Structure formats: C-alpha cells, structure tokens
Amino acid sequence: SDDGALLRAADEAVLRCGDQRLVARMNQKLPPAERAAAFAARGAEEADVGHWEGAVAAYERAVALAEGDPRRAYEASLHEVLDRAGRGHEREARTLAQAQDEALPPAARAQLWDDLAARREARGDLPGALAAVQAAVALEGTSPERWAAAERLAVATQDRAAEGAALRGLAEAL
C-alpha cells in the first residue's frame, strides 16, 4: 500500500540519518509496531514474486522493529525466506542465537533447539542434532518425544552415555 511504502521510506531515511532524537520522535509519531507490519507486508510481497533478497531485507527490518508475538511471526517468515533464498546457514545461526537467549521462556527456547536439531539431522550432522536435542531436554525434560529423539540420535552416533541418559529421561517422562 501507499501508506506502507511511506512508513518504510520514513523508517529508512531516519535510519540513514542516525540522529537518535529523530528516531525517538519517529517512534512517537509512527510506532515501531506499525512500521514492522509495513515491512512484513513488503517482505510477503517480495516473497510472492520470488525476490528473496528483498524479502529477507524487509523481514529483517520487521523483526528488528517488532516485539512479542508479531516478532516471532516475522522471524518465522524470515526463516522461510532465508531457506528459499539459499541462505539456510544464516537461518541456522539465527535459530542458534535465539535458542541461547535466556530472555526467552524455556519452552520457546526448547522448541528452537528442536528446530535446530531437525535441521542438523536433515543435513546429516547427527552429533550436532544430538547436542541440540540434549539442550532442549535440559530446558524442558518432560517431553517423551524429545527423549525418544535423544535416544535415537545417541544410538545413531554410538554415544552410549547419551543413550543411557536418554532412556532414563524417557522412562521418567512416561
């Protein structure tokens, strides 16, 4: 929309300027949540036509501006376009940073570790996948599915100590 384009242009101009007083004033007049939504809409438009780099840039700005649930939604969209742009390694690095962010609730961090484990396993990094699942169960060890994944990966990597720990955790979770 024209309003979205105007919000994005204003945001970009103020960023280039770098004047913190101007940033504060803009935040009063044009709330970051509104600007984030405009960037996310632009990211979706860019993705719809296969302009992955434009989509990545728009979603990165949306993530930087947003908070809470909208931020998580924009981050998920960013992850998708990073994959589509052939930049899965960047997605994994972002997921790792988020999983290590102690400001997030343990359940959210455990889910991020699960996502990281799945990505690592899909590319054949079984020791890395096991380490990620172990980090997830350390945060939230009540999931039998997580313990079963830890056991399966421990067997695949021939890590007997991890296999024993996973079997004990699975028994406690059931």
Side-chain angles (χ1 to χ4, degrees), residues 108-166:
R109 292 178 59 212
Q111 182 60 53
L112 289 163
W113 282 114
D114 289 340
D115 295 347
L116 194 57
R119 293 185 66 74
R120 288 175 175 176
E121 184 175 8
R123 72 165 199 272
D125 178 8
L126 299 183
L130 175 58
V133 170
Q134 288 171 324
V137 297
L139 289 165
E140 193 172 78
T142 59
S143 167
E145 294 80 12
R146 277 194 186 109
W147 284 113
E151 187 272 337
R152 180 179 48 75
L153 289 164
V155 168
T157 59
Q158 300 179 0
D159 185 331
R160 299 297 171 232
E163 181 182 356

Side-chain angles (χ1 to χ4, degrees), residues 22-138:
L22 190 55
V23 170
R25 185 164 178 205
M26 180 155 86
N27 286 341
Q28 288 178 331
K29 301 288 184 184
L30 301 171
E34 288 180 32
R35 297 192 328 265
F39 277 100
R42 180 63 182 179
E45 292 167 4
E46 293 283 338
D48 285 347
V49 295
H51 294 156
W52 303 119
E53 295 309 312
V56 167
Y59 279 122
E60 284 177 334
R61 187 64 184 139
V63 167
L65 288 165
E67 295 179 0
D69 289 339
R71 181 186 177 115
R72 285 185 282 282
Y74 302 154
E75 187 79 41
S77 296
L78 174 59
H79 285 180
E80 183 181 327
V81 297
L82 283 169
D83 281 343
R84 305 276 310 266
R87 294 166 54 182
H89 60 285
E90 289 179 49
R91 174 188 177 168
E92 189 168 317
R94 290 181 73 91
T95 302
L96 177 60
Q98 287 180 294
Q100 294 171 333
D101 182 356
E102 293 183 5
L104 291 176
R109 292 178 59 212
Q111 182 60 53
L112 289 163
W113 282 114
D114 289 340
D115 295 347
L116 194 57
R119 293 185 66 74
R120 288 175 175 176
E121 184 175 8
R123 72 165 199 272
D125 178 8
L126 299 183
L130 175 58
V133 170
Q134 288 171 324
V137 297

